[in-house]
mmCIF file of all heavy atoms in Angstrom:
data_model
loop_
_atom_site.group_PDB
_atom_site.id
_atom_site.type_symbol
_atom_site.label_atom_id
_atom_site.label_comp_id
_atom_site.label_asym_id
_atom_site.label_seq_id
_atom_site.Cartn_x
_atom_site.Cartn_y
_atom_site.Cartn_z
ATOM 1 N N ALA A 1728 -171.285 100.243 -23.555
ATOM 2 C CA ALA A 1728 -170.260 100.432 -24.587
ATOM 3 C C ALA A 1728 -170.402 99.332 -25.627
ATOM 4 O O ALA A 1728 -170.768 98.192 -25.308
ATOM 5 C CB ALA A 1728 -168.869 100.402 -23.977
ATOM 6 N N ILE A 1729 -170.138 99.679 -26.876
ATOM 7 C CA ILE A 1729 -170.076 98.728 -27.985
ATOM 8 C C ILE A 1729 -168.796 99.014 -28.757
ATOM 9 O O ILE A 1729 -168.481 100.182 -29.033
ATOM 10 C CB ILE A 1729 -171.293 98.861 -28.920
ATOM 11 C CG1 ILE A 1729 -172.604 98.607 -28.152
ATOM 12 C CG2 ILE A 1729 -171.183 97.892 -30.102
ATOM 13 C CD1 ILE A 1729 -173.856 98.907 -28.969
ATOM 14 N N PHE A 1730 -168.045 97.993 -29.091
ATOM 15 C CA PHE A 1730 -166.840 98.223 -29.871
ATOM 16 C C PHE A 1730 -166.657 97.129 -30.916
ATOM 17 O O PHE A 1730 -167.105 95.993 -30.739
ATOM 18 C CB PHE A 1730 -165.607 98.326 -28.972
ATOM 19 C CG PHE A 1730 -165.288 97.079 -28.201
ATOM 20 C CD1 PHE A 1730 -164.373 96.155 -28.682
ATOM 21 C CD2 PHE A 1730 -165.894 96.834 -26.971
ATOM 22 C CE1 PHE A 1730 -164.065 95.017 -27.957
ATOM 23 C CE2 PHE A 1730 -165.603 95.685 -26.244
ATOM 24 C CZ PHE A 1730 -164.690 94.777 -26.742
ATOM 25 N N ARG A 1731 -166.003 97.528 -32.003
ATOM 26 C CA ARG A 1731 -165.668 96.584 -33.079
ATOM 27 C C ARG A 1731 -164.187 96.243 -32.956
ATOM 28 O O ARG A 1731 -163.332 97.077 -33.236
ATOM 29 C CB ARG A 1731 -165.978 97.186 -34.436
ATOM 30 C CG ARG A 1731 -167.453 97.419 -34.688
ATOM 31 C CD ARG A 1731 -167.756 97.747 -36.155
ATOM 32 N NE ARG A 1731 -167.150 99.004 -36.573
ATOM 33 C CZ ARG A 1731 -166.190 99.106 -37.490
ATOM 34 N NH1 ARG A 1731 -165.692 98.006 -38.054
ATOM 35 N NH2 ARG A 1731 -165.714 100.287 -37.816
ATOM 36 N N PRO A 1732 -163.840 95.024 -32.518
ATOM 37 C CA PRO A 1732 -162.439 94.678 -32.309
ATOM 38 C C PRO A 1732 -161.630 94.610 -33.600
ATOM 39 O O PRO A 1732 -160.407 94.794 -33.586
ATOM 40 C CB PRO A 1732 -162.510 93.313 -31.614
ATOM 41 C CG PRO A 1732 -163.841 92.755 -31.992
ATOM 42 C CD PRO A 1732 -164.746 93.936 -32.118
ATOM 43 N N ILE A 1733 -162.296 94.339 -34.731
ATOM 44 C CA ILE A 1733 -161.611 94.249 -36.018
ATOM 45 C C ILE A 1733 -162.172 95.327 -36.931
ATOM 46 O O ILE A 1733 -163.375 95.368 -37.213
ATOM 47 C CB ILE A 1733 -161.811 92.859 -36.652
ATOM 48 C CG1 ILE A 1733 -161.327 91.763 -35.690
ATOM 49 C CG2 ILE A 1733 -161.076 92.769 -37.986
ATOM 50 C CD1 ILE A 1733 -161.657 90.361 -36.148
ATOM 51 N N GLU A 1734 -161.317 96.214 -37.379
ATOM 52 C CA GLU A 1734 -161.776 97.380 -38.138
ATOM 53 C C GLU A 1734 -162.504 96.991 -39.413
ATOM 54 O O GLU A 1734 -163.486 97.636 -39.802
ATOM 55 C CB GLU A 1734 -160.578 98.265 -38.474
ATOM 56 C CG GLU A 1734 -160.970 99.566 -39.165
ATOM 57 C CD GLU A 1734 -159.795 100.494 -39.367
ATOM 58 O OE1 GLU A 1734 -158.672 100.104 -39.025
ATOM 59 O OE2 GLU A 1734 -160.005 101.623 -39.862
ATOM 60 N N GLU A 1735 -162.065 95.919 -40.065
ATOM 61 C CA GLU A 1735 -162.670 95.524 -41.334
ATOM 62 C C GLU A 1735 -163.939 94.699 -41.175
ATOM 63 O O GLU A 1735 -164.585 94.347 -42.156
ATOM 64 C CB GLU A 1735 -161.654 94.717 -42.170
ATOM 65 C CG GLU A 1735 -160.415 95.482 -42.602
ATOM 66 C CD GLU A 1735 -159.403 95.603 -41.473
ATOM 67 O OE1 GLU A 1735 -159.554 94.870 -40.470
ATOM 68 O OE2 GLU A 1735 -158.486 96.445 -41.574
ATOM 69 N N SER A 1736 -164.294 94.367 -39.922
ATOM 70 C CA SER A 1736 -165.435 93.481 -39.694
ATOM 71 C C SER A 1736 -166.553 94.221 -38.966
ATOM 72 O O SER A 1736 -166.302 95.030 -38.063
ATOM 73 C CB SER A 1736 -164.992 92.274 -38.853
ATOM 74 O OG SER A 1736 -166.118 91.495 -38.460
ATOM 75 N N PRO A 1737 -167.815 93.914 -39.325
ATOM 76 C CA PRO A 1737 -168.950 94.513 -38.602
ATOM 77 C C PRO A 1737 -169.235 93.832 -37.258
ATOM 78 O O PRO A 1737 -170.120 94.264 -36.523
ATOM 79 C CB PRO A 1737 -170.118 94.323 -39.560
ATOM 80 C CG PRO A 1737 -169.769 93.089 -40.325
ATOM 81 C CD PRO A 1737 -168.265 93.114 -40.477
ATOM 82 N N PHE A 1738 -168.506 92.769 -36.922
ATOM 83 C CA PHE A 1738 -168.711 92.068 -35.651
ATOM 84 C C PHE A 1738 -168.429 93.014 -34.480
ATOM 85 O O PHE A 1738 -167.425 93.735 -34.479
ATOM 86 C CB PHE A 1738 -167.782 90.856 -35.561
ATOM 87 C CG PHE A 1738 -167.826 90.162 -34.222
ATOM 88 C CD1 PHE A 1738 -168.916 89.385 -33.868
ATOM 89 C CD2 PHE A 1738 -166.789 90.324 -33.319
ATOM 90 C CE1 PHE A 1738 -168.955 88.753 -32.641
ATOM 91 C CE2 PHE A 1738 -166.821 89.693 -32.091
ATOM 92 C CZ PHE A 1738 -167.907 88.910 -31.747
ATOM 93 N N ARG A 1739 -169.317 93.017 -33.494
ATOM 94 C CA ARG A 1739 -169.139 93.917 -32.362
ATOM 95 C C ARG A 1739 -169.534 93.257 -31.047
ATOM 96 O O ARG A 1739 -170.321 92.316 -31.008
ATOM 97 C CB ARG A 1739 -169.893 95.232 -32.553
ATOM 98 C CG ARG A 1739 -171.273 95.126 -33.169
ATOM 99 C CD ARG A 1739 -171.702 96.511 -33.652
ATOM 100 N NE ARG A 1739 -173.028 96.557 -34.228
ATOM 101 C CZ ARG A 1739 -173.264 96.505 -35.544
ATOM 102 N NH1 ARG A 1739 -172.271 96.363 -36.396
ATOM 103 N NH2 ARG A 1739 -174.503 96.606 -35.999
ATOM 104 N N ILE A 1740 -168.953 93.796 -29.988
ATOM 105 C CA ILE A 1740 -169.158 93.297 -28.626
ATOM 106 C C ILE A 1740 -169.732 94.433 -27.782
ATOM 107 O O ILE A 1740 -169.257 95.573 -27.864
ATOM 108 C CB ILE A 1740 -167.829 92.798 -28.018
ATOM 109 C CG1 ILE A 1740 -167.241 91.678 -28.875
ATOM 110 C CG2 ILE A 1740 -168.052 92.318 -26.587
ATOM 111 C CD1 ILE A 1740 -165.847 91.256 -28.455
ATOM 112 N N GLY A 1741 -170.726 94.121 -26.977
ATOM 113 C CA GLY A 1741 -171.339 95.127 -26.119
ATOM 114 C C GLY A 1741 -171.200 94.778 -24.648
ATOM 115 O O GLY A 1741 -171.224 93.602 -24.273
ATOM 116 N N LEU A 1742 -171.044 95.788 -23.826
ATOM 117 C CA LEU A 1742 -171.001 95.644 -22.378
ATOM 118 C C LEU A 1742 -171.951 96.663 -21.766
ATOM 119 O O LEU A 1742 -172.053 97.795 -22.253
ATOM 120 C CB LEU A 1742 -169.587 95.878 -21.832
ATOM 121 C CG LEU A 1742 -168.491 94.926 -22.314
ATOM 122 C CD1 LEU A 1742 -167.124 95.421 -21.837
ATOM 123 C CD2 LEU A 1742 -168.744 93.508 -21.826
ATOM 124 N N SER A 1743 -172.649 96.274 -20.701
ATOM 125 C CA SER A 1743 -173.590 97.200 -20.070
ATOM 126 C C SER A 1743 -173.666 96.942 -18.579
ATOM 127 O O SER A 1743 -173.402 95.836 -18.108
ATOM 128 C CB SER A 1743 -174.988 97.068 -20.687
ATOM 129 O OG SER A 1743 -175.498 95.760 -20.490
ATOM 130 N N VAL A 1744 -174.027 97.968 -17.848
ATOM 131 C CA VAL A 1744 -174.234 97.862 -16.408
ATOM 132 C C VAL A 1744 -175.357 98.822 -16.023
ATOM 133 O O VAL A 1744 -175.474 99.915 -16.591
ATOM 134 C CB VAL A 1744 -172.936 98.186 -15.630
ATOM 135 C CG1 VAL A 1744 -172.444 99.601 -15.927
ATOM 136 C CG2 VAL A 1744 -173.145 97.997 -14.129
ATOM 137 N N ALA A 1745 -176.194 98.391 -15.102
ATOM 138 C CA ALA A 1745 -177.299 99.230 -14.614
ATOM 139 C C ALA A 1745 -177.264 99.242 -13.100
ATOM 140 O O ALA A 1745 -177.134 98.190 -12.454
ATOM 141 C CB ALA A 1745 -178.647 98.711 -15.112
ATOM 142 N N THR A 1746 -177.363 100.421 -12.513
ATOM 143 C CA THR A 1746 -177.441 100.530 -11.066
ATOM 144 C C THR A 1746 -178.771 99.966 -10.584
ATOM 145 O O THR A 1746 -179.691 99.741 -11.386
ATOM 146 C CB THR A 1746 -177.341 101.993 -10.614
ATOM 147 O OG1 THR A 1746 -178.554 102.680 -11.000
ATOM 148 C CG2 THR A 1746 -176.140 102.687 -11.229
ATOM 149 N N PRO A 1747 -178.913 99.725 -9.295
ATOM 150 C CA PRO A 1747 -180.257 99.418 -8.782
ATOM 151 C C PRO A 1747 -181.240 100.541 -9.102
ATOM 152 O O PRO A 1747 -180.838 101.703 -9.269
ATOM 153 C CB PRO A 1747 -180.029 99.298 -7.271
ATOM 154 C CG PRO A 1747 -178.579 98.980 -7.114
ATOM 155 C CD PRO A 1747 -177.894 99.704 -8.234
ATOM 156 N N THR A 1748 -182.493 100.196 -9.214
ATOM 157 C CA THR A 1748 -183.535 101.216 -9.248
ATOM 158 C C THR A 1748 -183.893 101.534 -7.805
ATOM 159 O O THR A 1748 -184.253 100.646 -7.036
ATOM 160 C CB THR A 1748 -184.774 100.729 -10.005
ATOM 161 O OG1 THR A 1748 -184.408 100.395 -11.351
ATOM 162 C CG2 THR A 1748 -185.854 101.800 -10.033
ATOM 163 N N PHE A 1749 -183.759 102.804 -7.450
ATOM 164 C CA PHE A 1749 -183.984 103.235 -6.073
ATOM 165 C C PHE A 1749 -185.421 103.746 -5.971
ATOM 166 O O PHE A 1749 -185.739 104.849 -6.395
ATOM 167 C CB PHE A 1749 -182.988 104.329 -5.687
ATOM 168 C CG PHE A 1749 -181.543 103.895 -5.821
ATOM 169 C CD1 PHE A 1749 -180.823 104.186 -6.978
ATOM 170 C CD2 PHE A 1749 -180.922 103.203 -4.801
ATOM 171 C CE1 PHE A 1749 -179.502 103.788 -7.113
ATOM 172 C CE2 PHE A 1749 -179.600 102.801 -4.922
ATOM 173 C CZ PHE A 1749 -178.887 103.085 -6.076
ATOM 174 N N TYR A 1750 -186.281 102.911 -5.384
ATOM 175 C CA TYR A 1750 -187.709 103.198 -5.334
ATOM 176 C C TYR A 1750 -188.112 103.822 -4.004
ATOM 177 O O TYR A 1750 -187.596 103.441 -2.937
ATOM 178 C CB TYR A 1750 -188.520 101.909 -5.483
ATOM 179 C CG TYR A 1750 -188.686 101.410 -6.894
ATOM 180 C CD1 TYR A 1750 -188.121 100.194 -7.294
ATOM 181 C CD2 TYR A 1750 -189.427 102.132 -7.825
ATOM 182 C CE1 TYR A 1750 -188.296 99.711 -8.578
ATOM 183 C CE2 TYR A 1750 -189.607 101.659 -9.115
ATOM 184 C CZ TYR A 1750 -189.032 100.451 -9.485
ATOM 185 O OH TYR A 1750 -189.205 99.980 -10.756
ATOM 186 N N LYS A 1751 -189.065 104.733 -4.076
ATOM 187 C CA LYS A 1751 -189.863 105.125 -2.919
ATOM 188 C C LYS A 1751 -191.297 104.748 -3.238
ATOM 189 O O LYS A 1751 -191.872 105.238 -4.215
ATOM 190 C CB LYS A 1751 -189.765 106.618 -2.623
ATOM 191 C CG LYS A 1751 -190.585 107.001 -1.388
ATOM 192 C CD LYS A 1751 -190.481 108.464 -1.037
ATOM 193 C CE LYS A 1751 -191.338 108.788 0.190
ATOM 194 N NZ LYS A 1751 -191.276 110.231 0.546
ATOM 195 N N LEU A 1752 -191.881 103.882 -2.403
ATOM 196 C CA LEU A 1752 -193.163 103.274 -2.716
ATOM 197 C C LEU A 1752 -194.144 103.422 -1.569
ATOM 198 O O LEU A 1752 -193.754 103.624 -0.420
ATOM 199 C CB LEU A 1752 -192.965 101.782 -3.021
ATOM 200 C CG LEU A 1752 -192.014 101.457 -4.173
ATOM 201 C CD1 LEU A 1752 -191.627 99.991 -4.156
ATOM 202 C CD2 LEU A 1752 -192.636 101.837 -5.506
ATOM 203 N N THR A 1753 -195.404 103.309 -1.920
ATOM 204 C CA THR A 1753 -196.481 103.308 -0.939
ATOM 205 C C THR A 1753 -197.261 102.017 -1.085
ATOM 206 O O THR A 1753 -197.646 101.633 -2.195
ATOM 207 C CB THR A 1753 -197.426 104.503 -1.149
ATOM 208 O OG1 THR A 1753 -196.704 105.728 -0.990
ATOM 209 C CG2 THR A 1753 -198.567 104.471 -0.135
ATOM 210 N N THR A 1754 -197.469 101.325 0.026
ATOM 211 C CA THR A 1754 -198.273 100.107 0.011
ATOM 212 C C THR A 1754 -199.599 100.364 0.717
ATOM 213 O O THR A 1754 -199.651 101.063 1.732
ATOM 214 C CB THR A 1754 -197.527 98.941 0.689
ATOM 215 O OG1 THR A 1754 -198.361 97.775 0.681
ATOM 216 C CG2 THR A 1754 -197.160 99.259 2.123
ATOM 217 N N GLU A 1755 -200.672 99.823 0.158
ATOM 218 C CA GLU A 1755 -202.012 99.985 0.722
ATOM 219 C C GLU A 1755 -202.710 98.626 0.756
ATOM 220 O O GLU A 1755 -202.649 97.872 -0.220
ATOM 221 C CB GLU A 1755 -202.838 100.955 -0.128
ATOM 222 C CG GLU A 1755 -202.279 102.364 -0.201
ATOM 223 C CD GLU A 1755 -203.085 103.234 -1.156
ATOM 224 O OE1 GLU A 1755 -203.252 102.822 -2.324
ATOM 225 O OE2 GLU A 1755 -203.539 104.304 -0.725
ATOM 226 N N ASN A 1756 -203.364 98.351 1.851
ATOM 227 C CA ASN A 1756 -204.144 97.124 1.991
ATOM 228 C C ASN A 1756 -205.556 97.470 2.463
ATOM 229 O O ASN A 1756 -205.723 98.302 3.356
ATOM 230 C CB ASN A 1756 -203.521 96.183 3.025
ATOM 231 C CG ASN A 1756 -202.170 95.663 2.591
ATOM 232 O OD1 ASN A 1756 -201.917 95.473 1.410
ATOM 233 N ND2 ASN A 1756 -201.290 95.439 3.557
ATOM 234 N N TYR A 1757 -206.541 96.828 1.853
ATOM 235 C CA TYR A 1757 -207.931 96.920 2.296
ATOM 236 C C TYR A 1757 -208.453 95.487 2.371
ATOM 237 O O TYR A 1757 -208.603 94.835 1.341
ATOM 238 C CB TYR A 1757 -208.763 97.755 1.325
ATOM 239 C CG TYR A 1757 -208.218 99.141 1.096
ATOM 240 C CD1 TYR A 1757 -207.357 99.379 0.029
ATOM 241 C CD2 TYR A 1757 -208.532 100.187 1.946
ATOM 242 C CE1 TYR A 1757 -206.845 100.645 -0.195
ATOM 243 C CE2 TYR A 1757 -208.017 101.455 1.732
ATOM 244 C CZ TYR A 1757 -207.181 101.684 0.664
ATOM 245 O OH TYR A 1757 -206.660 102.935 0.454
ATOM 246 N N THR A 1758 -208.707 95.019 3.565
ATOM 247 C CA THR A 1758 -209.005 93.602 3.761
ATOM 248 C C THR A 1758 -210.321 93.424 4.488
ATOM 249 O O THR A 1758 -210.626 94.163 5.428
ATOM 250 C CB THR A 1758 -207.871 92.936 4.565
ATOM 251 O OG1 THR A 1758 -206.620 93.291 3.996
ATOM 252 C CG2 THR A 1758 -208.018 91.428 4.565
ATOM 253 N N THR A 1759 -211.097 92.426 4.056
ATOM 254 C CA THR A 1759 -212.380 92.145 4.686
ATOM 255 C C THR A 1759 -212.490 90.660 5.014
ATOM 256 O O THR A 1759 -211.859 89.816 4.383
ATOM 257 C CB THR A 1759 -213.559 92.526 3.773
ATOM 258 O OG1 THR A 1759 -213.534 91.692 2.620
ATOM 259 C CG2 THR A 1759 -213.494 93.981 3.360
ATOM 260 N N ILE A 1760 -213.302 90.362 6.001
ATOM 261 C CA ILE A 1760 -213.671 88.984 6.302
ATOM 262 C C ILE A 1760 -215.184 88.896 6.157
ATOM 263 O O ILE A 1760 -215.915 89.755 6.655
ATOM 264 C CB ILE A 1760 -213.223 88.561 7.719
ATOM 265 C CG1 ILE A 1760 -213.551 87.082 7.960
ATOM 266 C CG2 ILE A 1760 -213.779 89.457 8.793
ATOM 267 C CD1 ILE A 1760 -212.927 86.532 9.235
ATOM 268 N N GLY A 1761 -215.661 87.924 5.437
ATOM 269 C CA GLY A 1761 -217.098 87.852 5.188
ATOM 270 C C GLY A 1761 -217.476 88.778 4.048
ATOM 271 O O GLY A 1761 -216.794 88.840 3.032
ATOM 272 N N SER A 1762 -218.522 89.551 4.211
ATOM 273 C CA SER A 1762 -219.071 90.356 3.127
ATOM 274 C C SER A 1762 -219.068 91.839 3.466
ATOM 275 O O SER A 1762 -219.744 92.276 4.394
ATOM 276 C CB SER A 1762 -220.507 89.916 2.813
ATOM 277 O OG SER A 1762 -220.538 88.547 2.479
ATOM 278 N N ASN A 1763 -218.253 92.606 2.712
ATOM 279 C CA ASN A 1763 -218.331 94.065 2.693
ATOM 280 C C ASN A 1763 -218.136 94.726 4.052
ATOM 281 O O ASN A 1763 -218.773 95.716 4.359
ATOM 282 C CB ASN A 1763 -219.667 94.518 2.097
ATOM 283 C CG ASN A 1763 -219.842 93.990 0.690
ATOM 284 O OD1 ASN A 1763 -218.896 93.956 -0.086
ATOM 285 N ND2 ASN A 1763 -221.052 93.569 0.376
ATOM 286 N N VAL A 1764 -217.286 94.171 4.880
ATOM 287 C CA VAL A 1764 -216.988 94.804 6.162
ATOM 288 C C VAL A 1764 -215.487 95.047 6.236
ATOM 289 O O VAL A 1764 -214.712 94.112 6.257
ATOM 290 C CB VAL A 1764 -217.427 93.929 7.355
ATOM 291 C CG1 VAL A 1764 -217.094 94.624 8.672
ATOM 292 C CG2 VAL A 1764 -218.912 93.648 7.274
ATOM 293 N N ASP A 1765 -215.059 96.311 6.251
ATOM 294 C CA ASP A 1765 -213.644 96.611 6.320
ATOM 295 C C ASP A 1765 -213.101 96.219 7.681
ATOM 296 O O ASP A 1765 -213.566 96.708 8.700
ATOM 297 C CB ASP A 1765 -213.395 98.106 6.088
ATOM 298 C CG ASP A 1765 -213.479 98.466 4.616
ATOM 299 O OD1 ASP A 1765 -213.390 97.556 3.779
ATOM 300 O OD2 ASP A 1765 -213.630 99.648 4.324
ATOM 301 N N LYS A 1766 -212.111 95.353 7.675
ATOM 302 C CA LYS A 1766 -211.494 94.955 8.929
ATOM 303 C C LYS A 1766 -210.181 95.694 9.150
ATOM 304 O O LYS A 1766 -209.833 96.073 10.247
ATOM 305 C CB LYS A 1766 -211.241 93.440 8.956
ATOM 306 C CG LYS A 1766 -210.458 93.004 10.188
ATOM 307 C CD LYS A 1766 -211.157 93.443 11.461
ATOM 308 C CE LYS A 1766 -210.343 93.039 12.675
ATOM 309 N NZ LYS A 1766 -209.105 93.791 12.783
ATOM 310 N N SER A 1767 -209.392 95.862 8.089
ATOM 311 C CA SER A 1767 -208.140 96.590 8.242
ATOM 312 C C SER A 1767 -207.883 97.419 7.004
ATOM 313 O O SER A 1767 -208.241 97.047 5.896
ATOM 314 C CB SER A 1767 -206.970 95.624 8.475
ATOM 315 O OG SER A 1767 -206.689 94.908 7.298
ATOM 316 N N ALA A 1768 -207.294 98.567 7.218
ATOM 317 C CA ALA A 1768 -206.901 99.436 6.122
ATOM 318 C C ALA A 1768 -205.649 100.167 6.559
ATOM 319 O O ALA A 1768 -205.616 100.761 7.628
ATOM 320 C CB ALA A 1768 -208.016 100.431 5.807
#
Side-chain angles (χ1 to χ4, degrees):
I1729 300 172
F1730 63 95
R1731 294 192 296 115
I1733 303 172
E1734 185 174 3
E1735 296 79 14
S1736 172
F1738 174 74
R1739 40 196 182 263
I1740 301 172
L1742 299 172
S1743 61
V1744 60
T1746 70
T1748 300
F1749 302 96
Y1750 279 115
K1751 181 178 179 181
L1752 302 166
T1753 299
T1754 179
E1755 298 175 306
N1756 294 328
Y1757 304 93
T1758 311
T1759 65
I1760 184 170
S1762 302
N1763 301 320
V1764 180
D1765 282 342
K1766 174 56 182 69
S1767 70

